[in-house]
Amino acid sequence: MTIAFRLQALIQIIGMRIHRLFPAVILTASFLCPALYGAEAVKLDPDNPKYLLFRGKPLVLVSASEHYGSVINRSFDYEKYLDDAVEHKMTMTRTFLLYRELQSARNPSSPCKPESPDYIAPFVRKGPGKALDGEHVYDLDSWNPEYFERLHKFLDAASKRGIVVELTVFSNAYSPETWSLNPLRAQNNLQHVGTVDWQEYISLKDKELVRWQTAYARKIIEETSGYDNVYYEICNEPGGGTPGHATPADVDAWQEEMARVMREEMTRLQRPHLLAGQQAFTYAAKNAFPMDATFAKDTVEIVNDHPLPNTLFAGRTFEMGNFMSKELMLKDVAAFCSAAYSWPKPTVMDEDNAASMYRDLTGWTIHRKRAWTSLMNGCLYDYIDFSITVGSESGTAASRAGIRSWMGHLSEFMDSFDYVHSKPDAGWVSFPSDKVMVSGLVSESPGRQGLDYVAYIADRRELSDPDAGGPLQGAVSLTLPAGEFDVALYSPVTGLYSPAIKTTGGKVTELALPLFAQDIVIRATRRSH
């Protein structure tokens, strides 16, 4: 592998020199990365499709990601970011390929909000004339060598570190102001493509716009499908239903077309990859987020759910916390994940934003507990870490000691557990308190029923409760099958275990917990004979 990567690096250097001599030449991934062509891409694990299989090993997605600017932001040091990500055992990152977010007073420094001169698009800026951001307009007929060179280098760097990349191809346009930053808006390109309002950007209404979206999507697949460490999100937060504009059904029809185009290009290149995403939400009715069709239809293989209020699924409404509100809502997070587990698709609690703008121990603790609760109920988890900015690509000293280390402990814990042969089950442990939420996984490896039991006990009290985060103590009741087990406690904060005690199953056993705050893990492992 080392020799192959060295050869790959040499070829990239040659390719970069060709770019400098002949800027119009775009080298495809098949030339830049021959070592990765032929390697099977990340896929659903055949033994348990709730998880992934990557380079012959099971993979659980766990990440505290930056806000997606690794490629489009020229100033962002993605090597530094990826080094820290792998140090903290992050297994994935999510990267926007076109969407540029509007800066705001509430969150001005996200890597996905570059200053106009630092934004790198797939298309060359060359004028004549100025775009709405004051820079040269784009020529949609000219692919940007700098963009694709950076994209290849980023994917290669992630590949070498064993990090899977979700490539987000499109995004909701959200508002006239954000739409004004898009290269595919008419005032921003020489071809005058994109004369629609922002609400129609992700619909089939403008056939010429769709033609250019299709060309861009095909180009992304052509350039990146040779990598084994990528999968694709069709569209970030698709939504419709503002009065007089595209409906959610219109947006989903557009998503179906983009999925068809992307899969057609993969078939042409003989490089199958997974698609991720979710059905369109509606701006009407309190921003309702229906999810049933996302699971039932074959548009995507990976479900991305942004855990928010008014999520409609399996005949009920899940309230999973208002946006950046410091709401914990562990009961509904666990209930949604449990409901999703019955469907044979991985479900990612994606870009969780319950408290992400609060870069403090309180906000980070909320996300630690939501992450553990998600994974202990069979979902995967991606949290936006807003401590990562240009110039602080590895976060801050506080975030590295806090949420980034905690996510590393969670990733390491999952790696020590046979989650592929597990199922969500917290019935083996009982803690008599309405102050906590108990979640759990039970591993049943072939031929060894009840091999490994995990229970995650978390303080479920909201910050509005004056006793939230206060000390907890008591005895739990363990109901383990016949046999001998080693039972130990684990701290999600330190990543350390207590000494194990021998316990005999086949009966109810009382275990006195020490005084703890926020959360604690109990692990019971069957002794081998």
Side-chain angles (χ1 to χ4, degrees):
M1 185 65 74
T2 302
I3 294 174
F5 277 133
R6 285 178 179 173
L7 177 61
Q8 182 181 329
L10 177 61
I11 292 172
Q12 282 191 328
I13 292 171
I14 295 171
M16 290 162 60
R17 290 175 178 171
I18 292 173
H19 279 318
R20 284 193 283 270
L21 291 172
F22 305 101
V25 175
I26 299 293
L27 300 179
T28 65
S30 59
F31 178 76
L32 289 175
C33 304
L36 297 180
Y37 261 76
E40 187 176 39
V42 60
K43 64 179 184 179
L44 303 186
D45 193 304
D47 291 328
N48 187 343
K50 301 302 295 184
Y51 301 100
L52 303 179
L53 191 68
F54 180 49
R55 297 178 181 172
K57 297 180 179 179
L59 177 71
V60 60
L61 300 181
V62 181
S63 181
S65 177
E66 98 289 352
H67 202 12
Y68 318 138
S70 293
V71 173
I72 64 170
N73 191 333
R74 183 180 288 111
S75 298
F76 188 74
D77 186 345
Y78 58 77
E79 294 271 2
K80 184 178 179 181
Y81 162 68
L82 292 172
D83 281 343
D84 183 80
V86 75
E87 179 182 344
H88 290 103
K89 300 176 177 61
M90 311 293 178
T91 62
M92 64 88 73
T93 185
R94 186 166 177 251
T95 302
F96 286 171
L97 295 180
L98 179 63
Y99 173 72
R100 174 183 166 199
E101 194 172 39
L102 190 69
Q103 294 177 346
S104 67
R106 197 176 195 196
N107 175 32
S109 56
S110 160
C112 199
K113 301 179 178 183
E115 298 290 343
S116 293
D118 293 327
Y119 170 64
I120 310 175
F123 315 101
V124 171
R125 283 190 188 262
K126 65 181 184 182
K130 299 289 186 179
L132 294 173
D133 66 355
E135 300 296 313
H136 287 305
V137 296
Y138 299 93
D139 180 2
L140 302 184
D141 284 320
S142 300
W143 299 116
N144 185 357
E146 180 188 5
Y147 173 92
F148 289 101
E149 179 180 308
R150 184 176 174 92
L151 174 59
H152 283 299
K153 290 170 68 177
F154 170 70
L155 293 179
D156 180 50
S159 176
K160 290 176 181 178
R161 293 164 174 81
I163 294 176
V164 168
V165 181
E166 179 183 286
L167 295 173
T168 300
V169 183
F170 294 99
S171 177
N172 192 330
Y174 295 109
S175 69
E177 293 78 16
T178 306
W179 177 220
S180 71
L181 301 175
N182 196 309
L184 295 178
R185 181 169 173 171
Q187 295 92 326
N188 294 335
N189 61 75
L190 290 175
Q191 289 74 17
H192 301 292
V193 170
T195 59
V196 295
D197 293 334
W198 69 267
Q199 296 95 330
E200 315 297 341
Y201 170 61
I202 49 176
S203 77
L204 299 174
K205 179 176 181 178
D206 185 335
K207 295 189 184 308
E208 186 66 5
L209 173 60
V210 172
R211 185 174 75 84
W212 283 98
Q213 289 172 328
T214 296
Y216 155 71
R218 289 188 185 278
K219 181 64 173 175
I220 292 298
I221 299 297
E222 178 187 15
E223 291 289 331
T224 62
S225 62
Y227 294 90
D228 68 339
N229 64 317
V230 303
Y231 65 91
Y232 302 93
E233 182 180 47
I234 301 168
C235 183
N236 170 65
E237 295 184 346
T242 59
H245 291 285
T247 66
D250 294 332
V251 173
D252 283 336
W254 173 85
Q255 289 202 99
E256 294 282 353
E257 176 60 13
M258 291 302 110
R260 184 196 66 78
V261 165
M262 293 165 71
R263 287 199 174 99
E264 183 178 83
E265 192 66 15
M266 292 179 207
T267 299
R268 183 183 73 83
L269 297 167
Q270 299 182 348
R271 290 295 300 170
H273 286 267
L274 300 174
L275 295 186
Q278 62 189 106
Q279 68 193 87
F281 69 85
T282 177
Y283 284 99
K286 299 194 305 179
N287 289 359
F289 297 87
M291 293 297 296
D292 289 271
T294 313
F295 286 91
K297 297 178 70 174
D298 60 3
T299 309
V300 298
E301 291 87 14
I302 299 174
V303 174
N304 279 351
D305 177 77
H306 293 191
L308 290 164
N310 208 21
T311 297
L312 312 177
F313 179 56
R316 63 169 288 186
T317 300
F318 298 90
E319 302 292 342
M320 292 187 281
N322 284 298
F323 180 72
M324 292 189 180
S325 62
K326 285 193 174 182
E327 291 180 340
L328 187 56
M329 309 301 282
L330 284 191
K331 182 178 179 181
D332 275 23
V333 170
F336 175 82
C337 290
S338 295
Y341 194 80
S342 63
W343 289 87
K345 292 181 180 181
T347 305
V348 185
M349 305 300 271
D350 189 44
E351 68 156 72
D352 190 11
N353 262 309
S356 53
M357 70 170 288
Y358 301 99
R359 291 168 281 189
D360 56 32
L361 288 175
T362 302
W364 293 334
T365 299
I366 286 172
H367 282 286
R368 182 184 77 231
K369 293 197 285 189
R370 286 166 68 99
W372 272 89
T373 298
S374 297
L375 266 65
M376 290 296 111
N377 286 280
C379 281
L380 312 177
Y381 189 82
D382 171 24
Y383 151 70
I384 296 181
D385 181 358
F386 279 106
S387 74
I388 294 175
T389 60
V390 172
S392 297
E393 288 86 352
S394 57
T396 62
S399 70
R400 287 193 296 274
I403 187 62
R404 302 192 69 73
S405 289
W406 301 341
M407 293 293 282
H409 298 329
L410 174 55
S411 181
E412 189 174 51
F413 185 93
M414 291 299 294
D415 198 44
S416 74
F417 182 79
D418 185 9
Y419 51 82
V420 170
H421 296 104
S422 73
K423 62 181 180 181
D425 183 358
W428 67 278
V429 61
S430 175
F431 188 73
S433 172
D434 59 2
K435 299 176 182 179
V436 302
M437 182 75 209
V438 182
S439 303
L441 290 175
V442 174
S443 172
E444 297 180 347
S445 295
R448 299 198 65 193
Q449 183 180 9
L451 174 70
D452 211 350
Y453 289 71
V454 176
Y456 175 66
I457 302 175
D459 188 340
R460 56 173 284 193
R461 292 172 290 185
E462 300 292 336
L463 293 179
S464 55
D465 186 328
D467 295 325
L472 294 164
Q473 193 174 24
V476 295
S477 299
L478 308 183
T479 306
L480 296 165
E484 293 184 341
F485 292 82
D486 286 324
V487 178
L489 303 180
Y490 177 87
S491 168
V493 173
T494 65
L496 299 176
Y497 283 94
S498 72
I501 60 173
K502 179 181 175 182
T503 302
T504 301
K507 59 183 180 180
V508 177
T509 302
E510 296 293 316
L511 176 67
L513 295 180
L515 197 70
F516 71 96
Q518 300 294 0
D519 50 1
I520 196 168
V521 176
I522 304 172
R523 185 168 186 173
T525 305
R526 184 186 289 274
R527 286 189 161 199
S528 58
H529 296 284

